Amino acid sequence: IRRLGGIPKSEEHFVRLGKFLEDSVVCFSAYDGDVLVVCNYAILSDDYATLVLNISDKKYWSSNINDRLYDEFITWAIGKGVRFVDFGPGVFEDESHNHFKEGFGAVRRTIINKKQINILKRVRLFVAEKARNLRLRFSKLMV
């Protein structure tokens, strides 16, 4: 998330989410000895799984560790009767990320097209998003 310019959620966020969702939270992890190398954090329902977060150690990217864990997660989900794995949202222009997801069978689906929103609403949304990001960054500095 930091690499993409975002602000990561706190550990407490995931602790609370786990308490609220209990057995619906699934974590797939791979270790090199006792070192965590990669982890997929997902939420599972009867026949639907949503991949919420993937973290990995950059030193292991050349080993395609993310691909391996996605593959293991999908295989496990199929075995549990999951019919649909949601890889999470992405940006249409992020070709490398989209190509990665498509390698696992993901299909691009447009949620909303910016051109569908009138110009005044687009400007308000843009300003609101920038203000929110600024507040988040400022709050991190104050901690």
Side-chain angles (χ1 to χ4, degrees), residues 41-54:
Y41 185 96
I43 298 174
L44 182 67
S45 67
D46 294 334
D47 65 349
Y48 189 94
T50 302
L51 186 64
V52 177
L53 178 70
N54 168 276

Side-chain angles (χ1 to χ4, degrees), residues 18-142:
K19 285 180 182 176
F20 178 72
L21 295 174
E22 297 177 342
D23 295 335
S24 296
V25 172
V26 178
C27 289
F28 268 74
S29 304
Y31 291 82
D32 183 4
D34 60 352
V35 176
L36 178 63
V37 174
V38 62
C39 179
N40 283 344
Y41 185 96
I43 298 174
L44 182 67
S45 67
D46 294 334
D47 65 349
Y48 189 94
T50 302
L51 186 64
V52 177
L53 178 70
N54 168 276
I55 59 169
S56 58
D57 188 329
K58 187 176 183 176
K59 291 181 283 191
Y60 291 86
W61 287 357
S62 63
S63 301
N64 296 319
I65 195 69
N66 289 309
D67 297 39
R68 173 71 176 157
L69 203 63
Y70 270 54
D71 186 55
E72 288 294 328
F73 176 68
I74 293 166
T75 301
W76 175 85
I78 291 168
K80 290 286 187 184
V82 171
R83 294 175 17 138
F84 189 82
V85 176
D86 183 345
F87 291 96
V91 177
F92 191 80
E93 293 85 11
D94 190 349
E95 286 299 324
S96 67
H97 193 222
N98 293 331
H99 178 73
F100 171 75
K101 290 179 176 184
E102 288 167 348
F104 292 96
V107 177
R108 292 187 201 194
R109 297 195 172 137
T110 302
I111 296 171
I112 189 163
N113 185 333
K114 286 183 193 177
K115 295 174 185 161
Q116 294 171 310
I117 304 172
N118 76 45
I119 188 70
L120 292 175
K121 186 151 189 159
R122 274 189 274 167
V123 169
R124 280 198 308 268
L125 290 171
F126 176 81
V127 169
E129 176 187 7
K130 296 306 174 192
R132 178 182 179 276
N133 290 342
L134 188 58
R135 280 192 310 274
L136 287 171
R137 290 183 190 280
F138 185 71
S139 71
K140 290 288 184 182
L141 292 174
M142 301 306 291

